[in-house]
Amino acid sequence: MEADSMSKKVALVTGAGQGIGEGIAVQLAKDGFAVALSGRHLDKVQRVADEIEKAGGEAFAIEADVQYRDQVFDSVQKTVDHFDHLDVFVNNAGIAHVAQICNTKEEDLDRLLDINVKGTFFGIQAAAAQFRKQETPGKIINASSIAGHEGFELLGAYSATKFAIRGLTQAAAKELARYKITVNAYCPGIVLTPMWDQIDEEMGEVNHVAKGESLKQYLQGIALGRGEEPEDVANLVSF
Ligand SMILES: NC(=O)c1ccc[n+]([C@@H]2O[C@H](COP(=O)([O-])OP(=O)(O)OC[C@H]3O[C@@H](n4cnc5c(N)ncnc54)[C@H](O)[C@@H]3O)[C@@H](O)[C@H]2O)c1
Ligand SMILES: CC(=O)[C@H](C)O
């Protein structure tokens, strides 16, 4: 256990090996948190943890797949074993999938629900259990999306999971407030992370998008179609 982290706030970020999760972990470390980073691929989260340590921060990498409840609870225990306690849990891990609803395979729908919804559900359960065991306040922060406020064509199953996360966040906030545990969600627009490489790859030929146009341009087109100023759309595409 790191002696210094006894006084530091401790955060656990899921899916922290790249993208938004990596950005959150790095910023939390800059803000003085001791950070546990969990992900399906230990080498990816270890890379980010090493970078945080090299920059003078405290970090600890954990291999955990959020679709499995026991691995989520285990990641919290490993964080507490290493840093003594937990203050913040960020349910960041998530996947997207591009398909028209009528063409979405059940196995893809199951994968999205297992990782995005059940993974977030398990994270709330595990974090709340730890905060109550510590008898301390705590913060739980979940990854929803712009697609959790508007259902986008070609992202129907994904949007459903992000809407679900908003509802889950609101319900958890009401249930856990009495324990001084806050539950909030972030809803980014389009953030140019490796998720978009995968989304663009899955695009292929679909009716709604002109050949060669990426989903990013398609979504931007929707925003522009609403008469939003280009700079508004530009704000969506940032990292
Ligand atoms: N990039 C965007 O435009 C955008 C917009 C709104 C919301 N989001 C949400 O933000 C979160 C992060 O997105 P991102 O763009 O950084 O994605 P990303 O694909 O770049 O990174 C996601 C990370 O989560 C990990 N992950 C996936 N499934 C996992 C699992 N079962 N267990 C543990 N880790 C797992 C991946 O390995 C990866 O490291 C996601 O929940 C996503 O839905 C992204
Ligand atoms: C991929 C994502 O979450 C939205 C559509 O930006």
Side-chain angles (χ1 to χ4, degrees):
M1 177 179 62
E2 308 288 335
D4 185 26
S5 59
M6 291 285 281
S7 56
K8 278 190 173 180
K9 290 284 185 193
V10 177
L12 168 54
V13 183
T14 69
Q18 67 186 43
I20 294 172
E22 176 177 355
I24 292 172
V26 168
Q27 188 57 51
L28 284 170
K30 284 180 184 163
D31 293 346
F33 281 74
V35 185
L37 303 89
S38 79
R40 281 180 300 189
H41 311 293
L42 184 59
D43 58 330
K44 286 171 64 177
V45 286
Q46 190 62 59
R47 173 189 64 79
V48 183
D50 292 346
E51 282 174 15
I52 289 173
E53 295 254 327
K54 220 180 292 170
E58 276 187 80
F60 177 56
I62 303 166
E63 186 172 344
D65 186 327
V66 298
Q67 67 183 302
Y68 303 115
R69 186 175 186 275
D70 60 337
Q71 292 191 26
V72 176
F73 275 74
D74 187 45
S75 67
V76 169
Q77 188 54 56
K78 283 178 177 161
T79 300
V80 173
D81 292 345
H82 189 82
F83 286 133
D84 171 69
H85 64 283
L86 180 71
D87 298 290
V88 177
F89 189 103
V90 183
N91 275 304
N92 168 77
I95 59 170
H97 179 65
V98 178
Q100 289 174 317
I101 289 168
C102 295
N103 298 337
T104 299
K105 297 187 182 77
E106 187 173 357
E107 58 260 32
D108 290 322
L109 178 59
D110 288 343
R111 210 161 37 87
L112 282 154
L113 292 169
D114 287 345
I115 293 169
N116 295 6
V117 182
K118 289 177 69 175
T120 300
F121 205 101
F122 298 150
I124 293 170
Q125 289 181 321
Q130 181 58 32
F131 297 146
R132 292 187 63 187
K133 184 176 171 189
Q134 292 172 174
E135 294 182 348
T136 60
K139 294 184 186 307
I140 299 169
I141 306 164
N142 303 320
S144 178
S145 164
I146 183 176
H149 286 269
E150 177 170 351
F152 286 112
E153 290 175 272
L154 310 181
L155 288 170
Y158 176 77
S159 291
T161 67
K162 293 301 171 178
F163 271 79
I165 287 168
R166 281 185 59 222
L168 184 55
T169 299
Q170 291 170 8
K174 291 170 183 172
E175 285 186 13
L176 298 174
R178 71 200 69 175
Y179 306 112
K180 294 191 173 38
I181 299 168
T182 61
V183 190
N184 291 285
Y186 51 98
C187 303
I190 298 175
V191 184
L192 293 180
T193 66
M195 176 177 273
W196 276 96
D197 300 335
Q198 174 237 331
I199 288 175
D200 281 341
E201 229 174 85
E202 290 182 0
M203 269 311 288
E205 290 295 316
V206 286
N207 305 338
H208 303 269
V209 177
K211 191 171 171 50
E213 187 189 29
S214 76
L215 183 57
K216 275 192 290 296
Q217 291 158 327
Y218 173 65
L219 292 180
Q220 286 168 351
I222 292 174
L224 286 171
R226 286 194 295 242
E228 290 176 17
E229 287 307 308
E231 58 270 21
D232 290 355
V233 176
N235 290 341
L236 287 179
V237 187
S238 62
F239 181 64

